[in-house]
Amino acid sequence: PARDLSEVLSYIPGVDIEPRSGFGQSTAISIQGSSSRHVRVMIDGIPLNTQLSGQVNPTNFPIENIKQIEIIKGAASSVWGSALGGVINIITKDTGDKPVPQGSFSQSFAEYDTSKQSFELIGKVGDLGYYSFASYMHSGGIRAKADADEIKTFTKLSFPLGDLSELTSSFGYSRSNVNSGEFPSGEYQNVPYVNKYGRLGLDVDFHNGVIFNSAFKFCRQDIITKYFATVQDAEPYDTVRSQDQYYGLELKSLIHLRDEVRLLLGADFDWHILKSIYLSDSKSVNLQAPYANYTLRLDNWDWVFGVRFDNNSEYGNQFSPSLGAVYHIPAASDTLIRATVSRAFNAPPLLWKFYEESLSWITVNPDIRPEKAWVYEMGVERELTDYLWMGLSLYRADVKDAIAGVTEGGKTYMKNFQKFRRQGVEFQLKAKLNQRLTLSNSAAFNDVENRTTRETVKGIGVARQSFDMGIEYKNEGGFSCLVKAYYNRWNQPADFRPNDRKVICDVKISQGIKGIGGLDVRLFLNIYNLTNSKYWADYYFPIPRRYFEGGFTIKW
């Protein structure tokens, strides 16, 4: 059990989630020291990064409908496009294959007048498979004017077209109304948000080693920010309205030439439309991008060759080749060494290029350019024993035309710098002490340096140091207990007044009960911030002190 997607991702080594104050609050994702706009986030291949800031707020998307999450750490521009830091692809649950409906209902209660209900139903009517989900969350917030309300729904359908092909469709909807909480200045913000996204796909398996996929995708995000001078104000002194629209067509074919040879060919066609109070009229950008990936296995070697060509109507052409290799050591079959080198890029969002100074306090930079980088990664993985696994990764990115915010003459704008170097190391250790008890540890260090001034780049939502330790116990009776402790030191500037050099510990306990009237029941209790620490990376957004959450899930 977890509150939202940001909490799930925060438990993954090498993925850092900027801590924010409680329920429904927006946050940002960093992978291996990257800025949040460098991480491409998708649901079933639907990109969620906006042309407002290039970021994604993971709290806006449901987790109950997730089947699995794929995470690619490091540059992945040769397949996914503008992904300098990494890719997170959320894969939703499959439709049902049984005529008798299956489903679940969950109810949770937490402190701060917080509750959440969710419901899902899975089944099949004739040849039509379906999956449907809905949830509602309300929280009174951890302080004045920090309340939140969220509604999330998701539906997926599948229909076979003969023996070779299948038609699938999905539609998701999220609506939230979140207050930021009272800032030290006495102000607060109200952020209503609506997101609609969907996908219509056709999958064809020719049963001769060729699989073809095509999909039409869309996503519309309406974001409003209202600014209030005090918590007593009935009307905002300023309101910012923005709308981000995305439409995309995806074509790809996976060809198995032989057991050890695989070829992926594809092309993306994307259209983005941006409307904002900071623009006198809407702005748009379109993209065409063919790509290819070739995987070859030769004895103890795996080779992966990738290439992608992006034609962006606003930022020109980007060519992204990549080469990766994995060597399986013959004398130690449980050990491998891997290395990659790739040419990566990140196109800045449209708003940074077209801000109209007369409509905002931000100065326009019409000459802003995409960030380009050579990215190098190297790692080793080894099973030391049947019960002990370790992994070590080194990474470095030399980013040309790196982008960061500057303030000059009282005006703020986004500026290209000559070169930033992002580098770091990540270590993981997992130990299975017995069939019931598992330990996991990880440590990571990230450094982002302006190569011209040789100064550390601050204030970009990156954890300079991070450590976490987990202990998980499970038994045959359905009982489980997870203790997760983490320590992050964020690279925030002094005026953020960081108070982050503390260990935060969460505890999650659950007990499954089978066969109650044909139902499976799971009871759970979560304890957040067990050490009751005052903690924040930005003093405007402290995390909640220790609080409890409990509830149950019923499955049938």
Side-chain angles (χ1 to χ4, degrees):
R3 289 195 311 266
D4 51 42
L5 180 60
S6 64
E7 181 184 341
V8 174
L9 296 174
S10 69
Y11 292 140
I12 299 173
V15 179
D16 297 315
I17 304 296
E18 191 175 18
R20 288 300 176 100
S21 52
F23 307 90
Q25 301 292 336
S26 63
T27 186
I29 306 171
S30 173
I31 295 180
Q32 294 183 344
S34 68
S35 296
S36 56
R37 69 178 184 277
H38 295 155
V39 180
R40 191 170 177 85
V41 182
M42 299 173 291
I43 293 181
D44 291 334
I46 304 168
L48 305 175
N49 301 68
T50 72
Q51 293 295 323
L52 290 165
S53 63
Q55 302 180 100
V56 172
N57 177 14
T59 64
N60 288 324
F61 304 96
I63 62 171
E64 291 85 354
N65 66 339
I66 295 176
K67 176 184 177 181
Q68 66 187 59
I69 302 175
E70 296 179 335
I71 298 176
I72 302 174
K73 298 178 183 178
S77 298
S78 62
V79 175
W80 300 104
S82 187
L84 181 54
V87 173
I88 297 175
N89 187 30
I90 300 160
I91 300 174
T92 57
K93 293 179 179 178
D94 297 325
T95 57
D97 57 4
K98 297 179 181 178
V100 178
Q102 298 174 301
S104 69
F105 173 78
S106 295
Q107 171 72 63
S108 67
F109 301 94
E111 295 184 67
Y112 308 112
D113 186 28
T114 301
S115 65
K116 181 178 180 179
Q117 302 85 37
S118 64
F119 173 83
E120 62 180 351
L121 193 64
I122 309 168
K124 190 174 185 180
V125 178
D127 291 331
L128 180 66
Y130 63 87
Y131 170 85
S132 186
F133 159 83
S135 71
Y136 172 73
M137 188 277 289
H138 167 78
S139 175
I142 68 172
R143 60 186 193 277
K145 291 296 182 180
D147 53 299
D149 288 278
E150 293 180 342
I151 296 175
K152 299 173 182 178
T153 65
F154 181 81
T155 299
K156 178 186 282 189
L157 302 173
S158 65
F159 188 81
L161 301 175
D163 296 332
L164 299 180
S165 59
E166 183 179 51
L167 187 67
T168 61
S169 67
S170 61
F171 177 78
Y173 174 83
S174 298
R175 186 183 74 191
S176 63
N177 190 16
V178 180
N179 287 319
S180 65
E182 184 179 6
F183 297 141
S185 61
E187 298 183 346
Y188 81 97
Q189 299 172 6
N190 170 248
V191 185
Y193 172 89
V194 175
N195 183 25
K196 304 172 185 178
Y197 56 96
R199 183 180 187 275
L200 177 63
L202 175 64
D203 304 323
V204 182
D205 186 348
F206 292 98
H207 297 305
N208 60 355
V210 179
I211 300 174
F212 174 77
N213 308 101
S214 62
F216 170 75
K217 304 174 288 188
F218 74 91
C219 181
R220 171 174 164 171
Q221 302 182 61
D222 294 281
I223 305 171
I224 302 172
T225 304
K226 301 177 182 180
Y227 298 86
F228 293 83
T230 70
V231 294
Q232 289 79 29
D233 288 358
E235 298 295 331
Y237 68 82
D238 192 15
T239 300
V240 176
R241 300 176 184 272
S242 300
Q243 183 185 98
D244 184 279
Q245 299 180 37
Y246 161 81
Y247 303 94
L249 177 64
E250 175 188 66
L251 303 171
K252 64 181 179 181
S253 182
L254 180 62
I255 305 170
H256 294 270
L257 301 176
R258 298 192 303 273
D259 290 341
E260 67 277 8
V261 181
R262 188 173 64 179
L263 176 64
L264 175 67
L265 300 174
D268 291 329
F269 303 89
D270 296 339
W271 297 266
H272 294 269
I273 302 172
L274 177 64
K275 301 177 182 179
S276 174
I277 194 174
Y278 294 136
L279 303 172
S280 58
D281 56 0
S282 63
K283 301 296 180 182
S284 63
V285 60
N286 58 75
L287 173 78
Q288 306 86 38
Y291 60 89
N293 263 52
Y294 182 77
T295 304
L296 173 66
R297 169 163 287 185
L298 290 175
D299 297 325
N300 298 311
W301 288 89
D302 296 327
W303 296 92
V304 181
F305 305 88
V307 64
R308 180 182 171 109
F309 180 80
D310 285 82
N311 178 26
N312 187 301
S313 62
E314 286 296 335
Y315 296 110
N317 300 328
Q318 309 295 332
F319 181 67
S320 306
S322 66
L323 171 62
V326 178
Y327 180 64
H328 304 264
I329 300 177
S333 58
D334 51 6
T335 302
L336 61 85
I337 299 174
R338 49 184 169 78
T340 62
V341 57
S342 58
R343 180 70 166 168
F345 74 96
N346 182 261
L350 282 175
L351 194 62
W352 292 2
K353 185 174 182 178
F354 293 108
Y355 265 119
E356 296 187 21
E357 188 171 353
S358 60
L359 301 176
S360 73
W361 50 271
I362 296 180
T363 300
V364 66
N365 183 2
D367 299 322
I368 194 168
R369 301 181 299 279
E371 299 167 293
K372 302 177 183 179
W374 280 105
V375 181
Y376 312 92
E377 300 175 69
M378 182 175 175
V380 58
E381 298 177 17
R382 177 172 172 77
E383 286 190 15
L384 302 174
T385 69
D386 292 339
Y387 303 99
L388 187 62
W389 175 92
M390 60 82 64
L392 177 68
S393 298
L394 304 173
Y395 41 89
R396 170 178 153 180
D398 292 317
V399 186
K400 181 182 178 182
D401 291 329
I403 298 175
V406 297
T407 300
E408 297 176 352
K411 288 285 188 176
T412 298
Y413 67 102
M414 306 306 292
K415 175 183 176 181
N416 290 104
F417 290 81
Q418 183 175 1
K419 181 187 284 188
F420 285 178
R421 174 171 291 172
R422 192 179 79 224
Q423 58 188 347
V425 58
E426 178 184 322
F427 175 76
Q428 295 184 60
L429 185 68
K430 299 177 184 178
K432 190 173 183 179
L433 301 184
N434 53 47
Q435 295 300 317
R436 298 180 177 182
L437 190 62
T438 304
L439 303 180
S440 62
N441 295 273
S442 73
F445 175 80
N446 301 300
D447 179 66
V448 184
E449 180 185 85
N450 185 330
R451 296 297 292 168
T452 301
T453 64
R454 300 302 176 93
E455 295 178 345
T456 298
V457 180
K458 293 182 175 290
I460 54 175
V462 173
R464 187 170 175 82
Q465 300 169 6
S466 60
F467 305 89
D468 73 67
M469 182 185 71
I471 304 174
E472 185 174 20
Y473 174 83
K474 291 183 178 181
N475 65 23
E476 297 80 1
F479 175 81
S480 69
C481 178
L482 171 67
V483 180
K484 194 77 171 180
Y486 56 92
Y487 171 98
N488 289 334
R489 180 183 173 187
W490 299 88
N491 69 339
Q492 303 288 34
D495 55 0
F496 280 51
R497 306 178 197 173
N499 185 33
D500 55 351
R501 300 188 186 183
K502 299 178 180 180
V503 175
I504 303 297
C505 183
D506 298 336
V507 179
K508 304 200 169 190
I509 303 169
S510 66
Q511 175 67 59
I513 306 173
K514 292 184 177 294
I516 300 180
L519 304 176
D520 291 338
V521 180
R522 178 163 290 274
L523 309 176
F524 60 87
L525 172 66
N526 302 329
I527 307 172
Y528 292 94
N529 195 358
L530 181 66
T531 52
N532 202 26
S533 300
K534 292 182 178 180
Y535 184 99
W536 58 84
D538 179 344
Y539 77 105
Y540 277 94
F541 299 102
I543 70 169
R545 302 291 293 269
R546 180 174 59 230
Y547 71 95
F548 296 81
E549 177 187 34
F552 61 87
T553 299
I554 301 174
K555 293 185 177 182
W556 63 88

